[in-house]
């Protein structure tokens, strides 16, 4: 699954367009490497998102095949650092 779509489906970032913008600003890293929105993710990858005042690090536990309910969204990843 693409990085921008995963961020939206998992509800880490609310909209896919915002996920694209954040990736283009080089604030998203996958396994400590800068990532483009089209980066293909796999399980156990670590996503880091740099906000103005904090850094969010999450490990991908599961890659969904389609849309995910709100209740299932938080089970797709595990927060490592916030």
């Amino acid at each position: 699954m693409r990085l921008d779509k995963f961020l939206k489906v998992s509800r880490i970032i609310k909209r896919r367009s915002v996920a694209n913008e954040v990736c283009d600003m080089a604030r998203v890293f996958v396994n400590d490497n800068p990532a483009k929105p089209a980066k293909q993710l796999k399980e156990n990858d670590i996503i880091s998102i740099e906000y103005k005042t904090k850094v969010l690090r999450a490990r991908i536990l599961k890659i969904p095949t389609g849309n995910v309910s709100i209740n299932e969204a938080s089970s797709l990843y595990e927060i490592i650092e916030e």
Side-chain angles (χ1 to χ4, degrees), residues 15-41:
R15 293 188 308 258
R16 193 167 176 181
S17 60
V18 174
N20 276 319
E21 290 175 15
V22 173
C23 290
D24 289 337
M25 294 184 339
R27 291 183 174 224
V28 179
F29 299 86
V30 175
N31 298 326
D32 296 325
N33 297 317
K36 298 288 185 188
K39 169 81 172 148
Q40 291 295 317
L41 297 176

Side-chain angles (χ1 to χ4, degrees), residues 1 5 9 63-68:
M1 176 176 278
K5 186 167 183 179
V9 169
I63 300 290
T65 55
N67 288 334
V68 177

Side-chain angles (χ1 to χ4, degrees), residues 38-73:
K39 169 81 172 148
Q40 291 295 317
L41 297 176
K42 56 188 180 299
E43 291 179 3
N44 292 319
D45 279 347
I46 296 177
I47 299 173
S48 301
I49 303 172
E50 294 179 350
Y51 295 99
K52 289 184 179 182
T53 59
K54 66 178 182 175
V55 175
L56 173 74
R57 290 175 52 88
R59 179 186 317 276
I60 298 174
L61 299 176
K62 185 168 65 172
I63 300 290
T65 55
N67 288 334
V68 177
S69 71
I70 293 173
N71 298 331
E72 295 174 15

Side-chain angles (χ1 to χ4, degrees), residues 4-18:
D4 58 345
K5 186 167 183 179
F6 180 83
L7 291 173
K8 184 225 178 243
V9 169
S10 65
R11 291 174 173 77
I12 293 174
I13 295 179
K14 301 296 182 197
R15 293 188 308 258
R16 193 167 176 181
S17 60
V18 174

